[in-house]
């Protein structure tokens, strides 16, 4: 047997075999590579998503600074906006005055005066308000003159951009001859803008006039019925003085303003990330600031989570720890079933039923003390948030229930054996032991909510503005727009390749990375605080 | 010693049991509040939608609603009575009435306060067809990719950095918002590959979106097959692939399919990914009315969820539009509910049956 | 079919009415019915040389040298975690399927062929070296399909041949009489002992030379265990058998040769009778006499 020469018995023991080989791989290895390739699809898709979002979106910053913002400056829109800001500040003061009037009117009505009587008492006040409003009329007329002028320049830039685009298209199509024929206008913005710049002296005159009037008005305040309102008027006079004090600064700004100063690239980034306005297809100037959308998304999510966290986690604790087996058996499938509700159906429910129902509810007199009640708009952050809550509940419920389920039985038994009651065991043992799972459930619920599109598109009211937080919690019943909603709403209407189109992709990128971040955090929490020795 | 024996185990009379009961009631209320709101949504849509889909006369089913294309609804007053007719019927009615009047030598009849509301007449047949096509195609793609991935992860992969990376990708893919998938599909399939708004673009977008669900479900099902099956098969001298094919897949398949039905519910229910990749607001031709086979894949379709979005946001809420709005929502909800319930029930049954 | 020296039923030794265990200093195995077959040296089938085996960074086998003989039953005994199952799974390269395992040194030759040679196909190897597992693992298919599984993989389609193999294998596994009327019922419907014999039948259906058994009786009751042990005794005529067992009584009853492992090392290897009667090593003696420490 020690001999190496194969005997007949050994010859029959064949364990070697030449297998078919493809590119040096056995058939089995080929199959393995096929499956491995499929598994890599997830990675590839993730990479492709990143690539294509950036492919379409990344050019936004360049275009925004080189075209949108550059034209804003070169055509002089920025110049005019300096004065517009001045006018806006005045408008804010006007609103302050109007609010005082409203309070006064309320006071008179409470005194038992009829409406015309109260109005008569306020006649002097109204006269004052009128004069106050008219005080900056000279400035307004300047704004209006200049606006017409600079929009004309902007239009020329627009025409030029179109011509450039046309030529590029022709070049791309290989039609060199036709491309050469396309006439490209030359816009000499400096020359065209010069008349406006030269007009500064007349603005200074107008501003001086306005300043004088306002200072005079600040000294002759109207009568207010209560000391409290009187105090507010005093404050108003103070504010007016402060406002007038800013006039020289504005003039200085106009003086130093330079149309040729290049726009640094970072402004394009900051104006996107921290811009407070999302304004598109505007006759004046387009702004792509993500803040109003981000705030809207976060507000809607906040409402949803405020509802879904207690309800979802509570239901999970109830089903897992408290409910009788019979209840468990039917509650779990029902909640799973809720998770299958298509979001568009929930959105429709919000439009058709919930929005109106909430508004009716907010008109019930004894609820009017709640912030924001009665609700002015049927579709708002609250309506959308409630429905999103219903979407988040099953996610949070299922994951939290899993986490509770994973708490080893022995923990609970040890607690019972020490004489703890059921509630004590739940609060002191089960929930702390599963806390990381519950937190990650909440995070994933948050991810689900912030990425949800149809409900917010249909029910959030779609007003692109940061809500007025001076209303406190009442801000939550104002209409908002969201990141997901804006993409769904505007994507179908934009010109492919335009700045607006790319801006929408940028919003998509923000959304994508936000979701990755949330996911990552959820993973991290689960992994870090996993129960050991279960 | 006292007369009465003292029982040291007697329930202590404290506030605590009552407090505990109270807390448990709060939890119970939370749970039932969730269920109640679920029922409220479901109930409203069922009650109002059933009125459209079912009728009181035989065959008790509004066949027209389920088999016709959407039409514009005309509401008008004629002869002192209020009429509601679909576009086609309205034109026919008008023509016959005018012809009648002409024959009788009377002046042309007056149609007063004619009001037209788009999509509010007819049915939702093309949308149903489109949804079914989208679901079938995308699930076919997702199942092939997903099951193959799961086979790799559960049968071949050794736990290394590459596999960890793949798993990370899968988890993260599951968290990507559906609208981002929509954007991606638009950027890649519609524009870059030049497929335009088409079934094919929708299929791939939806398939990629549902991929994590299918992979996770399939892997779970594969792992549920006992290790012993694989050992026994390998010890008999079968190759890895033979083992997978003969001793693993057959037993995992029911689990794979049932869990993947949840993915079907997700695919059918999503609107955002198909908004710019596959869905048309309205399309007159049905998907199979194409001149050549390749056109079939490169045509957009109507889809039920998108149709619901359109009819609930682009037309006003009133008595005339309610019919089609609630009807479409009802049919869609029923479709998704049937799929979801089916998968939940099937899974529970199979869990019982396949225990080794 | 086979007549052998009458074997005392295994259950008897477990009978509470059996004579009390001898005192510790006496040889425990006197009470164990041992195969009387004289062990004459036979050809070496499997030759293990200087084998070092690792699970990741943890070494599981240290320098194991062992020559297993043809048509003998060799038992691997030793406390849990001593490496006996690991060694068994090395013999048909089932360890290849576990991540992070590797053979750092040494070789295993079966009939003179190093099984880790590049041109050795583990698939072909496993066809020749069958295995029965601790937990019976029939496929959820019919008894018939379970047995022909291996043949079908090899592409055998001939119905008469398959029928023949089923009958021969089931008879070989002493299961034929019990299941011949329900060949097409599920294998899962059998009792635990029957399932294990079905697995043995499935293993011998592909006609291996060596059968590896990894604690085949650990999940069975005494009566089923006795049946399997009897079966092992019969199978020895045609196959070389390696069995891992926790029960010293079982090793004594079924094996011709015994190898005692401790902490990944082969401590002693000899005729079963010698191992149990006159162990050369103090550790072996301590283990077989139940005074393990």
């Amino acid at each position: 047997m020690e001999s190496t020469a194969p005997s007949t018995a050994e010859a029959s023991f064949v364990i070697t075999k030449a297998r078919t080989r493809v590119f040096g791989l056995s058939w089995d290895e080929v199959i393995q590579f096929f499956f491995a390739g499929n598994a890599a699809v997830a990675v590839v898709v993730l990479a492709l998503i990143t690539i294509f979002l950036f492919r379409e979106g990344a050019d936004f910053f360049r275009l925004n600074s080189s075209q949108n913002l550059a034209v804003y400056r070169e055509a002089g829109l920025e110049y005019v906006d300096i004065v517009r800001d001045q006018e806006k500040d005045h408008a804010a003061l006007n609103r302050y005055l109007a609010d005082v009037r409203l309070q006064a009117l309320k006071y008179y009505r409470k005194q038992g005066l009829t409406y015309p009587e109260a109005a008569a008492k306020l006649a002097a006040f109204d006269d004052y308000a009128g004069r106050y409003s008219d005080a900056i009329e000279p400035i307004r007329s300047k704004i209006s003159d200049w606006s017409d002028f600079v929009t004309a320049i902007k239009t020329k830039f627009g025409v030029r951009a179109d011509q450039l685009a046309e030529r590029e298209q022709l070049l791309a199509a290989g039609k060199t001859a036709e491309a050469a024929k396309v006439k490209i206008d030359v816009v000499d913005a400096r020359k065209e803008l010069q008349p406006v710049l030269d007009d500064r002296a007349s603005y200074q005159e107008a501003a001086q006039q306005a300043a004088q009037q306002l200072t005079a008005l600040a000294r002759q305040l109207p009568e207010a019925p209560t000391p409290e309102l009187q105090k507010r008027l005093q404050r108003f006079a103070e504010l007016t003085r402060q406002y007038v004090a800013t006039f020289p600064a504005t003039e200085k700004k106009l003086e130093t303003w330079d149309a040729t100063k290049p726009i640094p690239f970072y402004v394009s980034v900051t104006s996107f990330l921290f811009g407070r306005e999302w304004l598109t297809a505007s006759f004046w100037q387009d702004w792509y600031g993500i803040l109003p959308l981000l705030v809207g998304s976060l507000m809607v999510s906040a409402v949803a989570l405020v509802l879904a966290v207690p309800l979802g986690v509570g239901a999970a604790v109830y089903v897992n720890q408290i409910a009788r087996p019979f209840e468990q058996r039917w509650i779990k499938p029902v909640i799973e079933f809720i998770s299958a509700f298509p979001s568009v159906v929930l959105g429709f429910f919000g439009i058709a039923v919930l929005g109106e129902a909430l508004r009716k509810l907010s008109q019930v007199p004894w609820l009017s003390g709640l912030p924001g009640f009665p609700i002015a708009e049927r579709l708002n952050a609250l309506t959308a948030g409630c429905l999103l809550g219903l979407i988040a509940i099953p996610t949070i419920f299922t994951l939290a229930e899993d986490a509770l389920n994973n708490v080893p039985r022995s923990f609970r038994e040890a607690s019972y054996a020490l004489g703890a009651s059921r509630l004590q065991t739940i609060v002191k043992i089960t929930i702390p032991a599963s806390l990381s799972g519950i937190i990650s459930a909440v995070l994933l619920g948050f991810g689900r909510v912030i990425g949800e599109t149809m409900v917010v598109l249909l029910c959030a009211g779609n007003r692109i503005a940061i809500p007025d937080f001076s209303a406190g919690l009442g801000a939550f019943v104002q209409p908002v727009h969201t990141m997901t909603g804006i993409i769904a709403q505007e994507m179908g209407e934009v010109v492919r390749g335009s700045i607006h189109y790319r801006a929408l992709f940028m919003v998509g990128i923000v959304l994508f990375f936000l979701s990755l971040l949330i996911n990552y955090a959820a993973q991290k929490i689960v992994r870090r605080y996993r129960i050991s020795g279960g | 010693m006292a007369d009465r024996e003292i029982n040291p185990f007697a329930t202590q009379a404290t506030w605590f049991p009552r407090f505990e009961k109270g807390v448990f009631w709060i939890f119970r209320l939370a749970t039932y509040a969730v269920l109640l709101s679920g029922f409220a949504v479901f109930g409203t849509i069922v009650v109002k939608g059933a009125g459209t889909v079912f009728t009181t006369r035989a065959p008790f089913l509004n066949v027209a609603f389920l088999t016709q294309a959407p039409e514009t609804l005309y509401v008008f007053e004629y002869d002192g009575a209020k009429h509601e007719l679909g576009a086609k019927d309205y034109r026919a009615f008008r023509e016959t009435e005018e012809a009648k009047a002409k024959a009788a030598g009377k002046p042309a009849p007056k149609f007063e306060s004619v009001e037209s509301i788009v999509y509010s007449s007819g049915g939702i047949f093309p949308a149903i067809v489109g949804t079914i096509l989208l679901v079938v195609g995308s699930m076919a793609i997702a199942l092939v990719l997903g099951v193959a991935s799961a086979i790799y992860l559960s049968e071949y992969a050794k736990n290394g950095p590459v596999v960890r990376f793949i798993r990370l990708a899968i988890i993260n893919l599951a968290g990507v918002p559906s609208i981002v998938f929509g954007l991606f599909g638009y950027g890649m399939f519609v524009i870059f590959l030049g497929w335009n708004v088409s079934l094919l673009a929708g299929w791939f977008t939806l398939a990629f979106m549902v991929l994590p669900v299918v992979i996770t479900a399939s892997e779970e099902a594969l792992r549920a097959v006992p290790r012993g099956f694989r050992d026994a098969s390998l010890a008999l001298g079968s190759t890895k692939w033979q083992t997978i094919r003969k001793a693993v897949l057959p037993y995992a398949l029911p689990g794979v399919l049932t869990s993947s039905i949840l993915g079907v519910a997700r695919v059918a229910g999503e609107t955002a990914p198909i908004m710019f990749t596959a869905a048309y607001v309205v399309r007159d031709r049905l998907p199979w009315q194409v001149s050549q086979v390749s056109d079939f894949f490169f045509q957009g379709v109507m889809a039920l969820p998108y149709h619901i979005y359109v009819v609930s946001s682009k037309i006003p809420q009133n008595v005339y539009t309610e019919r089609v709005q609630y009807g479409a929502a009802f049919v869609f909800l029923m479709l998704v509910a049937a799929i979801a319930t089916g998968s939940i029930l099937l899974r529970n049954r199979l869990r019982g049956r396949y225990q080794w | 079919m086979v007549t052998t020296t009458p074997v005392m039923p295994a259950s008897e030794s477990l009978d509470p009415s059996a004579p009390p265990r001898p005192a510790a200093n006496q040889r425990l195995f006197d009470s164990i019915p041992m195969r009387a077959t004289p062990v004459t040296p036979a050809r070496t089938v499997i030759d293990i040389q200087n084998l070092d085996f690792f699970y990741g960074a943890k070494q599981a086998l240290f320098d194991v040298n062992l020559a297993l003989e043809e048509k003998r039953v060799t038992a691997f005994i030793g406390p849990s975690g001593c490496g006996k199952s690991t060694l068994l799974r090395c013999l048909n390269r089932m360890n290849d399927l576990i991540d992070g395992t590797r053979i750092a040194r040494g070789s295993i030759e079966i009939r003179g062929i190093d099984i880790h040679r590049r041109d050795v196909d583990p698939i072909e190897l496993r066809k020749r070296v069958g295995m029965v597992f601790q937990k019976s693992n029939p496929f959820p298919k019919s008894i018939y399909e379970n047995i022909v599984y291996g043949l079908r993989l090899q592409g055998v389609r001939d119905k008469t041949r398959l029928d023949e193999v089923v009958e021969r294998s089931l008879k070989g596994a002493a299961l034929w009489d019990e299941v011949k009327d329900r060949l097409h019922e599920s294998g899962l419907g059998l009792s635990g002992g029957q399932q294990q014999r079905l697995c043995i039948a499935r293993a011998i259906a592909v006609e291996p030379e060596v059968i590896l058994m990894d604690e085949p009786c650990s999940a069975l009751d005494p009566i089923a265990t006795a049946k399997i042990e009897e079966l092992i005794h019969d199978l020895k005529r045609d196959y070389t058998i390696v069995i891992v067992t926790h029960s010293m009584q079982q090793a004594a009853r079924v094996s011709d040769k015994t190898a005692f492992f401790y902490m990944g090392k082969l401590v002693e290897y000899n005729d079963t009778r010698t191992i149990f009667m006159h162990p050369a090593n103090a550790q072996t003696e301590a283990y077989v006499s139940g005074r393990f420490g």
Side-chain angles (χ1 to χ4, degrees), chain A residues 1-2 7 9-10 12-17 19 28, chain C residues 43-44 110-111 113 119-121 123-125 128 209:
Chain A
M1 73 191 163
E2 279 78 18
S7 70
E10 273 152 11
S12 76
F13 185 78
V14 184
I15 57 175
T16 62
K17 191 174 172 188
R19 290 187 172 271
D28 240 40
Chain C
R43 266 165 41 117
T44 299
I110 298 183
R111 290 210 185 281
I113 302 170
D119 63 342
V120 168
D121 188 338
I123 307 302
E124 294 302 317
L125 172 69
R128 317 310 306 268
E209 308 223 343

Side-chain angles (χ1 to χ4, degrees), chain B residues 94-109:
Chain B
R94 198 163 177 157
E95 267 163 34
T96 47
E97 287 302 303
E98 275 166 3
K100 244 192 254 169
K102 212 174 191 181
K106 276 189 260 174

Side-chain angles (χ1 to χ4, degrees), chain C residues 18-272:
Chain C
R21 289 163 74 91
N25 59 347
Q26 265 186 292
R27 295 278 184 237
L28 156 96
F29 32 80
D30 287 347
S31 64
I32 301 173
M34 214 174 296
R35 301 259 170 206
T37 348
V39 184
T40 49
R43 266 165 41 117
T44 299
V45 181
I46 303 177
D47 192 9
I48 304 163
Q49 282 167 357
N50 308 104
L51 193 71
D52 282 354
F53 182 86
F54 285 84
Y55 283 114
K58 188 178 165 288
Q59 187 162 7
L61 292 174
F62 297 83
D63 194 29
V64 174
N65 284 285
L66 194 60
L68 303 176
E69 293 171 11
E70 187 173 30
K71 300 201 175 154
R72 294 270 183 275
V73 178
T74 307
F76 290 176
I77 60 169
S80 296
C82 68
K84 52 193 191 305
S85 283
T86 305
L87 181 62
L88 191 78
R89 292 171 67 95
C90 280
L91 299 182
N92 65 347
R93 290 182 58 179
M94 283 298 273
N95 280 333
D96 287 14
L97 306 168
I98 300 168
D99 283 353
T101 58
R102 72 201 155 86
I103 286 171
R105 195 170 65 97
S107 66
I108 300 169
E109 286 181 7
I110 298 183
R111 290 210 185 281
I113 302 170
D114 184 339
I115 61 168
H116 290 95
R117 228 163 64 186
R118 279 183 65 86
D119 63 342
V120 168
D121 188 338
I123 307 302
E124 294 302 317
L125 172 69
R126 291 184 200 125
K127 285 180 188 164
R128 317 310 306 268
V129 183
M131 190 159 188
V132 176
F133 296 85
Q134 184 170 0
K135 191 169 170 287
S136 63
N137 52 2
F139 300 121
K141 304 178 184 229
S142 69
I143 294 168
Y144 186 94
E145 282 302 322
N146 260 292
I147 290 175
V148 301
Y149 180 86
L151 291 171
R152 280 206 201 276
L153 288 180
Q154 293 170 29
V156 178
R157 290 223 173 70
D158 181 4
K159 184 85 171 72
T160 47
R161 164 106 196 274
L162 292 177
D163 289 346
E164 219 175 85
V165 169
V166 168
E167 183 169 350
R168 182 166 49 78
S169 307
L170 283 173
K171 278 182 178 158
L175 195 60
W176 175 250
D177 294 331
E178 291 163 58
V179 301
K180 63 175 181 236
D181 302 323
R182 46 178 175 137
L183 287 178
H184 294 283
E185 286 172 27
S186 169
L188 293 173
L190 300 175
S191 73
Q194 286 173 325
Q195 283 191 10
Q196 194 61 296
R197 276 182 283 151
L198 175 61
C199 292
I200 295 174
R202 188 173 62 185
I204 61 182
V206 290
E207 296 177 36
E209 308 223 343
V210 181
I211 300 175
L212 309 175
M213 296 187 175
D214 192 356
E215 299 182 33
C217 304
S218 64
L220 301 181
D221 62 59
I223 295 171
T225 302
K227 281 205 172 133
I228 303 262
E229 285 176 3
E230 199 166 338
L231 172 61
I232 291 170
H233 190 72
D234 296 342
L235 290 172
K236 180 165 85 166
R237 302 191 150 202
D238 304 310
Y239 306 97
T240 305
I241 293 170
V242 186
I243 178 169
V244 164
T245 175
H246 259 122
S247 146
M248 279 170 292
Q249 286 91 336
Q250 185 173 58
R253 285 192 301 262
V254 301
S255 68
D256 305 306
K257 307 272 281 185
T258 297
F260 171 63
F261 291 86
Y262 182 59
M263 306 269 285
K265 295 192 177 91
L266 173 62
V267 176
E268 193 170 349
Y269 173 52
N270 215 324
D271 290 352
T272 300

Side-chain angles (χ1 to χ4, degrees), chain B residues 137-212:
Chain B
S138 54
M139 278 318 284
I141 297 169
L143 273 178
V144 170
L145 288 174
V147 174
S149 301
I151 287 177
Y152 178 76
L153 289 174
S154 108
E155 305 297 317
Y156 287 102
K158 300 190 166 61
N159 207 3
V162 176
V163 170
R164 268 206 297 280
F165 189 66
I166 292 179
R167 288 189 192 283
L168 198 70
I170 292 169
I171 290 170
N172 280 315
L173 206 56
V176 173
S178 54
I179 187 86
V180 173
F181 276 102
L183 274 183
F184 156 68
Y186 181 67
M188 176 161 174
F189 304 120
V190 177
I191 295 178
F192 182 70
L193 297 179
W195 292 351
N196 293 323
V197 173
S198 63
L199 262 185
L200 209 55
W203 283 346
F204 276 95
T205 309
L206 289 172
F208 286 165
M209 187 192 71
V210 81
L211 199 58

Side-chain angles (χ1 to χ4, degrees), chain A residues 21 44 102 109 146 171 179 211 216 226 311 348 364 369 424 441 501:
Chain A
R21 295 195 161 260
V44 172
L102 186 71
R109 296 281 287 154
W146 291 357
L171 279 175
T226 65
L311 290 177
F348 167 65
V364 176
Q424 285 166 330
Y501 167 89

